[in-house]
Amino acid sequence: MDQPFRPSLTASLADRAGRVLHFLWSGWAGLAALCLLAAVWQAGHEAYGPFILTSPLETLRQIRMLAADPGAWSVAAVTLQRAVTGFALVTAAGVTLGVAAGYSPATLRIAAPLITVLLGVPPIAWIVLAMIWSGASDATVRTVILVTALPVVFLGAAHGIVTRDRGLDRMAQAFGAGAVRRFLTVGIRQTTTTLFPALALALGTAFKVAVMAELLANAGGIGGALADARINLDIAQALAWVVITVILLLIVEYTLVHPVKGEIDRWRRAAQPWGIKR
């Protein structure tokens, strides 16, 4: 009996290295977008003056000053751990509940009105409630992140399961694959079209809500630093903290979300002719 084909370790490493290089090369488009943003920013600075909008170079100088301050690193680390742990909770709960609802149409119909209600409540209302329940603590920030971003991930996972190609599932079953193996090799891989955009949106929401909750609850972190900059009318420092937040978001997204998506999405690229984008 013929043994199933298994790629060698060298071939697997070469394939993974090729995906990493392709991912890094695709960063040129993002760099071009950032340069365009910097140009628009500079135009706004020249139009309205430094009191309204400091220049990108002045903001970079402020970021360099903050980078030389160990206290600033501690401030950024607080917000980073709150946003990432909140995002991890959202991912675990949203994917689990969404996948379960995707396989159960009745559950999805019951959950739809609840998701609408959660989406309709503004994040600031959840922040006020969480402050009453937990005070100015990490639990407040994580709770608001969970409640705010959970519906997005839930819908992404559920829609991916509902729209999967059931023919592939039946084919895998005909070849003897069990329910768990069919889910891991066929079902979950087809959710990436809707799930990973939802995860990217949830990650951005986690950072935004974390900073907002910190600012309103006076819970330290970057939100607390922004509150201090507001009191001092320090536009450069406020913009520097905003840029630092975006940098942290990009680092987490491109070192966590995108590599996982690339690993799961290998089958989509394998189905495309080399060099042809469809």
Side-chain angles (χ1 to χ4, degrees):
M1 181 176 180
D2 294 337
Q3 294 294 325
F5 171 74
R6 295 183 182 277
S8 65
L9 178 60
T10 303
S12 298
L13 292 176
D15 177 66
R16 183 166 282 104
R19 293 199 305 274
V20 171
L21 291 174
H22 177 75
F23 173 73
L24 294 175
W25 180 256
S26 64
W28 285 109
L31 182 60
L34 292 178
C35 291
L36 178 61
L37 176 62
V40 174
W41 184 350
Q42 180 64 29
H45 164 70
E46 294 177 0
Y48 296 103
F51 185 76
I52 300 298
L53 187 65
T54 56
S55 68
L57 289 178
E58 178 60 30
T59 304
L60 288 177
R61 281 193 289 268
Q62 187 68 40
I63 292 174
R64 187 166 61 249
M65 293 174 56
L66 291 174
D69 181 10
W73 287 86
S74 300
V75 169
V78 169
T79 299
L80 179 63
Q81 67 89 7
R82 286 170 174 170
V84 171
T85 53
F87 173 69
L89 291 173
V90 168
T91 301
V95 171
T96 301
L97 296 175
V99 167
Y103 279 106
S104 174
T107 303
L108 187 58
R109 285 194 294 270
I110 293 173
L114 299 178
I115 295 299
T116 302
V117 171
L118 291 177
L119 288 173
V121 178
I124 192 170
W126 292 118
I127 293 173
V128 173
L129 292 174
M131 288 171 58
I132 296 173
W133 296 332
S134 305
S137 64
D138 288 0
T140 297
V141 180
R142 295 192 187 102
T143 299
V144 178
I145 292 173
L146 179 63
V147 178
T148 304
L150 179 64
V152 177
V153 179
F154 174 87
L155 290 175
H159 187 67
I161 293 296
V162 169
T163 58
R164 73 190 187 280
D165 187 350
R166 288 169 172 77
L168 294 176
D169 191 73
R170 289 192 293 269
M171 181 183 69
Q173 185 177 15
F175 278 92
V180 175
R181 186 174 181 82
R182 293 199 307 273
F183 170 72
L184 294 177
T185 59
V186 178
I188 194 64
R189 291 176 180 270
Q190 295 184 72
T191 65
T192 56
T193 303
T194 57
L195 176 59
F196 279 95
L199 289 176
L201 180 59
L203 181 61
T205 301
F207 274 87
K208 289 187 294 186
V209 170
V211 173
M212 185 190 308
E214 289 171 347
L215 192 152
L216 295 178
N218 193 23
I222 293 177
L226 283 173
D228 293 339
R230 178 193 59 188
I231 294 173
N232 298 323
L233 298 179
D234 193 337
I235 304 298
Q237 190 174 61
L239 287 175
W241 281 116
V242 171
V243 173
I244 289 172
T245 304
V246 174
I247 291 173
L248 293 176
L249 168 62
L250 292 175
I251 290 173
V252 175
E253 180 175 350
Y254 282 91
T255 58
L256 181 64
V257 177
H258 284 282
V260 174
K261 181 180 184 298
E263 192 70 20
I264 296 177
D265 248 4
R266 288 180 297 170
W267 68 277
R268 295 187 188 274
R269 288 190 301 275
Q272 295 178 353
W274 178 257
I276 297 179
K277 305 296 182 183
R278 294 185 295 181

